[in-house]
Amino acid sequence: MAKHKTPLLDQLESGPWPSFVSDIKQEIEHRYANPKGVDYQVPAECPDDLLGLLELSYVDGETHWKHGGIVGVFGYGGGVIGRYCDQPQKFPGVAHFHTIRVAQPSGMFYTTEFLRQLCDLWELRGSGLTNMHGATGDIVLIGTSTPQLEEVFHELTHKMNNDLGGSGSNLRTPACCLGESRCEYACYDTQELCYQLTQEYQDELHRPAFPYKFKFKFDGCPNGCVAAIARSDMSFLGTWRDEIRVDQKTVAAYVGGEIAPNAGAHAGRDWGKFDIQKEVVDLCPSGCMRYENGKLEINDKECVRCMHCICVMPRALKIGNDRGCSILIGAKAPILDGPQMGSLTIPFIKVEEPYDEIKEFIESVWDWWMEEGKNRERIGETLKRLGFAKLLEVTGIKADPRHVQEPRHNPYIFWKEEDVKGGWQREISDYRVKHQR
Amino acid sequence: MAFISSGYNPEKPMQDRITDIGPQHFTKFLPPIIAKNKGAWDYHEIIEPGMLMHVGLSGDKVFTVRCGGARLMSITNIREICDIADKYCGGHLRFTTRNNIEFMVSTLEEAKALKADLNGRKHTAGSHKFPVGGTGAGVTNIVHTQGWVHCHTPATDASGTVKATMDVVFEEFTNMRLPAPVRISMACCLNMCGAVHCSDIAILGIHRKPPIIDNENLDNVCEVPLAVAACPTGAIRPTKIELGGKQVNTVAVKQERCMFCGNCYTMCPAMPLSDKDGDGIALMVGGKISNRITKPAFSKVVVPFIPNEPPRWPTLTKTIKKILDTYAKDAHKYERLGDWANRIGWERFFEKCELEFSHHLIDDFRDPAYYTWRQTTQFKF
């Protein structure tokens, strides 16, 4: 039986959505019953005390975790988020309650064999509680004590062949959409690029060497299923540069009502018969489509590859064959100077092993930011402070209209001295020859 | 509780240490049918809520059943997920980028049996363990954060607000009757871990009181310049004060310049600011990430403050439901919530959703604020 009364949390056991309270309670029961006779390395009461502490927060309306916490494993500068409760006498089971970030496989496919092994490890050495997954992508093991950190790491690396994820001022754990593994929109192998860059930059991930955190995310197309454009300092979004492949017979099948639009995504409501003019042609953001005499035409040169028509008619319209990705830079949350989404830096780059061109670009960006970025300044903020043009300069990219939403409307334009005839060294006496005071 | 060694030798910590191996290669975990058809998918269909079918160029089909997960889950729960995957899916499964769980099978019959099984599993107190849904034009799982379960800077709880909200919008998780998908996200402070700044509806924990300064300890536990540099509005300055007859180095906060972001506390443990009555939630709407039709957009603040009302946050969930229902009734097909609000105008959005507009909603942060005011005579009465 649980040792704390939790009348407020108990109210979160009703309702249809999976109750985290009921789930934690089943873990509490499991640990007290201990059917496998596990010699728990952190108190059996750990999840019980977590609910007790959380109930206290529900009463007080304030968190009960002390500020910060610096713990880890030798050799690494991150991967573990230390945490101590501020009522250790009342809740000894969570006096230490550190989180371990574990590197997840690209696309988050698992075998039960792997997950069961991880559960056995965490049952012995942790609270038995997890997050599947952290927002950045990691498997998150919530709640263990300092002496267990090296033990968990040893078992993870030696028995499971798996590493920690990232935390601190470094490259954080990269993540991707499921890509080519189960999506016909994927313009490149997001999982492979994610894996390869994760491996390439292990040192940058485990040992903080940056002014601040830096994240990679990989989306297979502009739909953004891993939200790269909003949630990574460097975002890789798949795209193509040739024509959308149109199968006119299948277009006719959509028009004839044989196939549900958008793969049936709106099937729960009667939106009337599919109207290709209204639902596709008229909604195209660049107005580059035409449907006449039963034929769909796309002026691909004017297409901005927003994915709308492809999403509405996935069986009739396919991504092009000349594929690659766009790279955008600078996304971040508001702290310090406001939120940013990624800004288009490389409109198109081929994604081909061994990804040398991509790596070269990444490293040129890092070389610059590691030198110029201020303490705790995200690269998006460095861009705002030093200018987008500086990024182009250090990466050797030529400015292009695709780099802007619109040209500047203020005339406060910097010129380099060498670009102006005669330079900047001028004598007032020469000026006065022509212009009296 | 006797210590059990993993084989790690604390006397020789660097001996036999394995580092920099990263995650395992994803191909070790792919179901055979996925591995076989990778990169060669032809099209997909949503058969019914929570059930997808992907068809390969080879003609192979894979059926996916998606179900909700609480994200915060026990190993007992994960083991049950494994039991299900062993029973139906040859020991394979995956998680989505919104923390749902996906099981893959090769026939429709298996998918239907799996869906029925998942929907039948409940906790003893009554909630679903694995409700099937989250596909198409509906509400899917809420991307959220740590809250009072694990973090030191939250202004509200994550797991609780999410459970309370998902219970209220649950019908939309198991249906596909909205104009477009609605992404709800939650962050317990304005560090905005996750997707709050780019979601259709976003729940954000906020403070409303300046930090309390622990002058006695500040200089011992904080790097003062970092605390000063942490403030977006320049409200913090270093100072010296007289305390118990001796002079101590500390900081002063100009309270009228502080907007309670909490970033100084992140940097300095001697500046706590959480407060039961001050803390609560701001509601944002209209963000999106996809490039579909319109460009990605930030979410915008439409309710400056809703008090914390644990355990079920009734004012919060009622407000979200009202916005969701108004959008569902009024928006065109394919129109995301922000696209709808932009089309009808934000004055109409506030009117239709019956939300009060207050001065807190008018941007006043630096130069860009100007661009959010209205430089036109175009408006609706």
Side-chain angles (χ1 to χ4, degrees):
Chain A
M1 270 301 286
K3 64 180 191 177
H4 303 289
K5 288 221 177 325
T6 54
L8 293 175
L9 290 172
D10 293 350
Q11 296 176 49
L12 287 171
E13 290 201 86
S14 59
W17 186 251
S19 169
F20 69 98
V21 177
S22 297
D23 187 15
I24 295 174
K25 283 189 177 179
Q26 72 175 0
E27 196 59 32
I28 294 170
E29 297 300 321
H30 174 79
R31 275 176 91 88
Y32 288 151
N34 194 7
K36 288 190 284 184
V38 175
D39 193 356
Y40 297 122
Q41 299 293 292
V42 302
E45 63 195 343
C46 180
D48 199 349
D49 277 350
L50 178 71
L51 271 199
L53 187 79
L54 187 60
E55 176 77 13
L56 184 64
S57 282
Y58 273 52
V59 173
D60 290 346
E62 292 168 13
T63 188
H64 278 291
W65 298 104
K66 287 186 188 177
H67 183 281
I70 300 173
V71 291
V73 298
F74 282 117
Y76 288 177
V80 185
I81 316 302
R83 200 65 81 215
Y84 303 90
C85 90
D86 67 9
Q87 301 288 338
Q89 288 78 23
K90 266 198 225 164
F91 305 100
V94 290
H96 289 222
F97 199 66
H98 312 322
T99 275
I100 302 178
R101 292 186 180 161
V102 176
Q104 85 291 359
S106 296
M108 299 189 280
F109 284 87
Y110 292 104
T111 57
T112 53
E113 187 195 353
F114 175 86
L115 288 178
R116 287 183 195 281
Q117 207 181 346
L118 189 66
C119 289
D120 290 347
L121 162 62
W122 195 236
E123 176 166 26
L124 173 67
R125 301 193 179 279
S127 66
L129 302 177
T130 75
N131 282 161
M132 299 295 282
H133 295 71
T136 301
D138 306 271
I139 300 167
V140 174
L141 304 177
I142 306 186
T144 193
S145 63
T146 308
Q148 286 303 311
L149 298 177
E150 289 287 2
E151 307 299 329
V152 171
F153 182 62
H154 191 274
E155 288 205 19
L156 260 183
T157 50
H158 286 76
K159 296 186 186 150
M160 296 191 66
N161 189 29
N162 213 95
D163 211 332
L164 300 187
S167 69
S169 289
N170 56 6
L171 175 65
R172 299 293 185 84
T173 308
C176 59
C177 72
L178 56 57
E180 292 183 344
S181 65
R182 208 196 60 207
C183 182
E184 67 272 24
Y185 303 154
C187 300
Y188 69 98
D189 191 343
T190 55
Q191 292 167 289
E192 190 66 36
L193 183 59
C194 181
Y195 175 79
Q196 294 297 343
L197 294 184
T198 305
Q199 294 295 344
E200 176 79 19
Y201 299 117
Q202 280 289 293
D203 187 29
E204 285 78 2
L205 189 152
H206 293 302
R207 296 164 200 90
F210 291 168
Y212 203 7
K213 65 178 98 168
F214 195 97
K215 300 185 183 186
F216 287 152
K217 278 190 167 56
F218 306 88
D219 271 315
C221 83
N223 279 333
C225 290
V226 77
I229 201 169
R231 298 169 64 179
S232 57
D233 298 83
M234 194 178 283
S235 326
F236 302 78
L237 277 77
T239 193
W240 64 94
R241 59 182 170 184
D242 55 350
E243 294 83 40
I244 291 175
R245 291 171 289 151
V246 184
D247 174 359
Q248 298 291 352
K249 254 171 72 181
T250 313
V251 171
Y254 276 102
V255 174
E258 292 158 45
I259 309 173
N262 217 121
H266 299 76
R269 178 155 145 193
D270 182 7
W271 291 93
K273 189 176 174 297
F274 176 61
D275 181 340
I276 192 170
Q277 184 68 35
K278 192 173 132 200
E279 296 186 36
V280 181
V281 176
D282 292 348
L283 290 180
C284 170
S286 45
C288 68
M289 305 185 85
R290 196 160 67 156
Y291 184 72
E292 265 175 21
N293 306 320
K295 198 169 172 242
L296 185 71
E297 284 175 40
I298 303 174
N299 179 1
D300 287 277
K301 191 163 183 294
E302 300 306 314
C303 170
V304 293
R305 302 168 317 288
C306 82
M307 296 296 297
H308 176 63
C309 59
I310 295 176
C311 290
V312 177
M313 301 191 287
R315 293 179 69 166
L317 304 182
K318 310 282 178 184
I319 58 169
N321 285 321
D322 185 8
R323 300 168 195 167
C325 76
S326 303
I327 304 181
L328 295 87
I329 293 192
K332 60 177 282 285
I335 295 290
L336 202 60
D337 65 357
Q340 290 187 44
M341 300 248 193
S343 295
L344 185 67
T345 305
I346 297 189
F348 187 88
I349 190 167
K350 289 298 262 188
V351 182
E352 285 160 350
E353 290 188 71
Y355 315 111
D356 284 339
E357 216 187 332
I358 289 174
K359 288 177 190 169
E360 202 179 304
F361 172 72
I362 292 167
E363 288 161 28
S364 67
V365 171
W366 282 349
D367 282 348
W368 172 65
W369 177 61
M370 287 171 75
E371 193 71 26
E372 297 291 336
K374 293 203 222 178
N375 184 33
R376 288 178 65 86
E377 184 182 61
R378 293 290 285 265
I379 193 163
E381 293 167 334
T382 310
L383 279 178
K384 279 170 82 171
R385 183 167 58 85
L386 299 179
F388 192 82
K390 191 71 194 171
L391 173 73
L392 297 181
E393 186 188 317
V394 299
T395 51
I397 298 169
K398 193 176 176 312
D400 179 307
R402 282 167 278 258
H403 285 134
V404 294
Q405 196 55 51
E406 58 182 30
R408 67 192 306 157
H409 57 249
N410 67 66
Y412 304 159
I413 305 166
F414 290 98
W415 291 94
K416 285 197 173 129
E417 184 175 7
E418 59 267 31
D419 294 336
V420 185
K421 189 181 169 191
W424 292 348
Q425 300 310 313
R426 296 183 289 162
E427 295 301 326
I428 188 68
S429 53
D430 297 341
Y431 184 81
R432 287 290 166 231
V433 171
K434 284 191 280 185
H435 309 284
Q436 295 177 23
R437 187 154 28 211
Chain B
M1 194 164 93
F3 181 76
I4 299 174
S5 170
S6 63
Y8 165 68
N9 179 2
E11 300 298 317
K12 295 183 175 171
M14 302 313 279
Q15 191 177 61
D16 296 330
R17 178 168 294 265
I18 297 172
T19 66
D20 301 276
I21 56 174
Q24 295 185 63
H25 197 261
F26 60 93
T27 50
K28 287 191 181 156
F29 302 107
L30 297 180
I33 192 157
I34 295 286
K36 182 181 165 218
N37 293 280
K38 184 165 177 290
W41 295 104
D42 188 12
Y43 68 91
H44 77 284
E45 279 176 24
I46 305 172
I47 307 282
E48 55 184 65
M51 197 187 292
L52 306 164
M53 174 183 72
H54 287 78
V55 180
L57 293 166
S58 63
D60 286 352
K61 288 179 181 171
V62 62
F63 293 84
T64 300
V65 180
R66 180 180 296 168
C67 64
R71 191 181 89 112
L72 169 57
M73 60 176 70
S74 69
I75 54 173
T76 299
N77 191 64
I78 296 174
R79 283 170 174 156
E80 186 167 348
I81 292 169
C82 289
D83 291 341
I84 296 165
D86 284 341
K87 184 174 171 194
Y88 293 93
C89 316
H92 291 274
L93 68 134
R94 72 174 292 268
F95 289 82
T96 71
T97 57
R98 298 192 73 86
N99 311 309
N100 289 310
I101 306 144
E102 289 186 343
F103 297 98
M104 284 148 283
V105 294
S106 51
T107 68
L108 183 60
E109 292 67 40
E110 288 171 299
K112 296 216 160 166
L114 175 54
K115 180 170 174 177
D117 184 343
L118 289 167
N119 277 336
R121 290 176 189 248
K122 293 189 171 175
H123 286 291
T124 38
S127 71
H128 280 280
K129 284 179 172 172
F130 310 108
V132 174
T135 55
V139 171
T140 185
N141 210 339
I142 300 181
V143 167
H144 65 276
T145 56
Q146 297 295 40
W148 294 331
V149 169
H150 198 264
C151 192
H152 59 149
T153 67
T156 187
D157 187 44
S159 303
T161 54
V162 165
K163 162 71 176 158
T165 303
M166 282 310 292
D167 279 343
V168 167
V169 301
F170 186 74
E171 289 291 302
E172 308 307 334
F173 181 80
T174 57
N175 276 292
M176 306 188 292
R177 58 192 186 187
L178 298 177
V182 171
R183 304 296 190 220
I184 309 179
S185 300
M186 190 284 154
C188 45
C189 81
L190 49 60
N191 276 331
M192 292 195 184
C193 300
V196 156
H197 63 307
C198 53
S199 298
D200 295 278
I201 299 176
I203 304 164
L204 175 67
I206 59 156
H207 305 285
R208 294 184 304 161
K209 297 186 184 183
I212 315 163
I213 302 176
D214 183 355
N215 288 311
E216 195 181 334
N217 296 304
L218 190 137
D219 196 32
N220 296 323
V221 297
C222 306
E223 188 112 23
V224 169
L226 292 186
V228 171
C231 183
T233 57
I236 305 173
R237 64 181 167 82
T239 190
K240 289 183 196 303
I241 63 163
E242 187 84 9
L243 201 72
K246 60 175 186 179
Q247 218 181 39
V248 296
N249 294 321
T250 184
V251 297
V253 174
K254 198 176 249 190
Q255 297 205 334
E256 67 275 19
R257 287 187 68 86
C258 173
M259 44 67 182
F260 332 110
C261 73
N263 198 39
C264 53
Y265 179 58
T266 299
M267 300 307 295
C268 172
M271 301 179 75
L273 77 163
S274 67
D275 186 275
K276 183 177 188 170
D277 299 315
D279 296 352
I281 283 160
L283 212 50
M284 306 175 75
V285 308
K288 73 189 268 273
I289 289 152
S290 91
N291 291 271
R292 187 171 175 176
I293 307 176
T294 55
K295 294 185 283 277
F298 291 120
S299 337
K300 288 147 269 276
V301 185
V302 293
V303 182
F305 183 76
I306 296 171
N308 277 328
E309 299 168 317
R312 283 217 161 256
W313 281 268
T315 311
L316 170 73
T317 57
K318 200 176 140 211
T319 312
I320 290 174
K321 185 81 168 62
K322 174 76 186 170
I323 294 171
L324 188 63
D325 289 348
T326 310
Y327 157 76
K329 197 164 143 259
D330 206 60
H332 295 164
K333 191 177 180 186
Y334 305 116
E335 204 167 45
R336 293 287 291 261
L337 199 150
D339 297 332
W340 164 65
N342 282 333
R343 174 172 60 80
I344 64 173
W346 287 92
E347 62 269 49
R348 201 59 88 224
F349 170 86
F350 280 90
E351 180 187 307
K352 287 188 188 229
C353 294
E354 295 170 26
L355 296 174
E356 187 192 343
F357 189 90
S358 76
H359 67 87
H360 305 99
L361 304 177
I362 303 175
D363 196 354
D364 55 8
F365 185 63
R366 300 187 185 170
D367 256 22
Y370 163 81
Y371 298 99
T372 66
W373 308 337
R374 196 173 295 219
Q375 291 93 23
T376 175
T377 57
Q378 294 183 13
F379 62 87
K380 295 177 184 174
F381 288 104

